[in-house]
Amino acid sequence: MAEVAKYLWERGWAEKNAGNISINITGLVNEKSLGLFNDSTYTLLQIPYYNLKGNTFILTGTGTRMRDLARRPEENICFIRISETGIGYQQYCNSPAKPGLRPTSEIPTHLAVQDMFAEKNRDSKVLLHTHATELIALTQIPLFKSKEAINSILWGMHPENILFVPEGVGFLPFTIPGTEKIAQATMKEFERYQAVIWEKHGVLSTGTNIIEAFDTIDLLVKSAQTWFCCRNAGYEPEGMTAIQIEEIRKKQSL
Ligand code: 2HA
Ligand code: ZN
């Protein structure tokens, strides 16, 4: 987490307290070690997550900065353990430097998506959210406020996006951050996609590990940057032809 937090900050995707991360670490930590943490506030969930019963997560703390997480991870994270009933969670935030620290404000989205992963037995353990500038910028252009238009740009600007994100990215029209509404809608998108763009806000991605989740966003941003580069130079980018895209897709299945 600290390594990726550093990348997010360096990329300019993590201004102030932007972005958040969750990792399902069930089985990697025992209750006894969680007991070492002072704070164990219990919070009732607005929506129960029955597939996460007894699961343990590491999450970024609310209001924490990625640049701080990179240097002092232990001060900027929280652990949570979902109750055996799935209706609440115990939090373990133990930063003397940050008393009262709580898990990320986007916890509804993290739990909704992680619950779906658990239900479907997915290998995905990580959910990463960041404010990738060029992806946000694309969604400020009315022409690109649809899944089809965004994916055609992202695939068209670099063959690696066709290879590594063959299903494309999900897209969510603007929704208020930190709400159950954004959580449920995002979870639905992740049923089909490994990355989801939030209109005028940012991007989320998943993976079996955090580096994989970061790499997917990095690839998507490369395409968006390329598009803006051409436009800034005064040219309309050509994009990939349908035949080229088809050939790249075939190559993947070889
Ligand atoms: O964690 O990025 O979406 C701060 C945010 C909210
Ligand atoms: Zn955000």
Side-chain angles (χ1 to χ4, degrees):
M1 270 174 101
E3 180 184 342
V4 165
K6 181 169 182 279
Y7 301 158
L8 300 178
W9 166 247
E10 286 171 346
R11 288 285 199 283
W13 303 345
E15 72 287 348
K16 202 171 184 284
N17 63 319
N20 32 75
I21 302 167
S22 68
I23 307 178
N24 191 334
I25 54 164
T26 309
L28 300 175
V29 64
N30 62 31
E31 293 224 12
K32 232 173 162 184
S33 56
L34 285 179
L36 297 174
F37 295 86
N38 307 325
D39 170 18
S40 62
T41 314
Y42 182 77
T43 305
L44 205 60
L45 287 163
Q46 282 187 43
I47 295 180
Y49 289 114
Y50 298 120
N51 300 295
L52 296 180
K53 286 177 184 173
N55 277 214
T56 308
F57 292 89
I58 182 170
L59 299 123
T60 44
T62 186
T64 58
R65 295 172 174 82
M66 288 295 167
R67 61 182 189 264
D68 293 339
L69 177 60
R71 286 174 302 179
R72 295 184 299 276
E74 69 287 355
E75 286 182 11
N76 295 286
I77 51 158
C78 286
F79 294 90
I80 66 161
R81 188 180 179 283
I82 309 290
S83 68
E84 292 302 333
T85 55
I87 64 164
Y89 65 86
Q90 207 84 31
Q91 76 176 48
Y92 306 87
C93 309
N94 185 40
S95 171
K98 295 199 174 136
L101 187 65
R102 296 187 54 77
T104 169
S105 60
E106 298 289 3
I107 195 169
T109 292
H110 284 273
L111 294 184
V113 175
Q114 296 274 9
D115 183 78
M116 183 272 288
F117 290 159
E119 183 190 4
K120 298 192 184 301
N121 252 325
R122 295 262 180 92
D123 288 337
S124 316
K125 298 286 173 218
V126 177
L127 190 65
L128 167 63
H129 164 57
T130 193
H131 295 177
T133 317
E134 288 85 352
L135 295 176
I136 302 170
L138 274 185
T139 71
Q140 288 285 356
I141 301 171
L143 185 66
F144 298 127
K145 283 206 293 191
S146 82
K147 221 176 272 184
E148 294 67 29
I150 284 189
N151 281 309
S152 121
I153 286 288
L154 297 176
W155 284 329
M157 291 297 106
H158 208 286
E160 297 221 325
N161 269 299
I162 304 164
L163 279 176
F164 295 109
V165 198
E167 72 288 2
V169 296
F171 174 75
L172 203 68
F174 185 78
T175 310
I176 305 297
T179 57
E180 287 297 343
K181 189 172 175 205
I182 204 168
Q184 295 304 313
T186 306
M187 180 271 284
K188 284 269 157 228
E189 288 293 283
F190 270 106
E191 287 182 347
R192 279 189 60 198
Y193 302 104
Q194 56 177 308
V196 175
I197 294 176
W198 278 351
E199 183 188 323
K200 296 176 186 151
H201 179 156
V203 61
L204 299 100
S205 79
T206 184
T208 51
N209 63 62
I210 193 165
I211 299 291
E212 213 177 275
F214 171 81
D215 280 345
T216 301
I217 298 177
D218 211 16
L219 275 177
L220 299 172
V221 167
K222 170 68 76 172
S223 274
Q225 275 175 338
T226 305
W227 188 82
F228 281 108
C229 241
C230 294
R231 296 290 305 214
N232 289 346
Y235 296 96
E236 181 61 36
E238 207 170 33
M240 226 79 76
T241 65
I243 292 170
Q244 286 166 339
I245 293 179
E246 198 49 41
E247 280 175 350
I248 294 161
R249 283 190 188 280
K250 274 195 218 131
K251 185 172 184 304
Q252 190 201 23
S253 59
L254 286 178

